[in-house]
Amino acid sequence: MKATGKCPKCGSTDLIIIPGKITPAGSGRYVMTGNTTLSAALLHRYVCASCGYTEEYFDKEDIEKLKHKFSNK
């Protein structure tokens, strides 16, 4: 969906993008990769407005932080 702008389930291009964020209460759409929210990886959600299918993506620059924290190496 992110790359094509199209829902893989129904083919619709009517998409809603919900950006990742950290709220003042410490909740939101993110994954902690360190001890503070400054190191959090934001999780962006793509929703098809036609069928409700969803996908979630991290920004490319956050992938290394996630690999470092969660890798089995």
Side-chain angles (χ1 to χ4, degrees), residues 7-67:
C7 175
K9 184 175 177 186
C10 73
S12 175
T13 57
D14 188 10
L15 305 179
I16 302 163
I17 301 169
I18 305 170
K21 70 176 182 175
I22 300 169
T23 64
S27 63
R29 293 173 298 281
Y30 66 93
V31 172
M32 293 295 294
T33 60
N35 295 328
T36 68
T37 54
L38 295 174
S39 64
L42 298 179
L43 185 60
H44 310 288
R45 185 173 297 144
Y46 287 65
V47 181
C48 175
S50 295
C51 74
Y53 178 81
T54 63
E55 291 182 357
E56 297 178 326
Y57 296 92
F58 289 102
D59 291 330
K60 278 197 175 256
E61 58 269 14
D62 288 334
I63 300 296
E64 282 304 314
K65 291 192 284 188
L66 292 163
K67 284 168 85 174

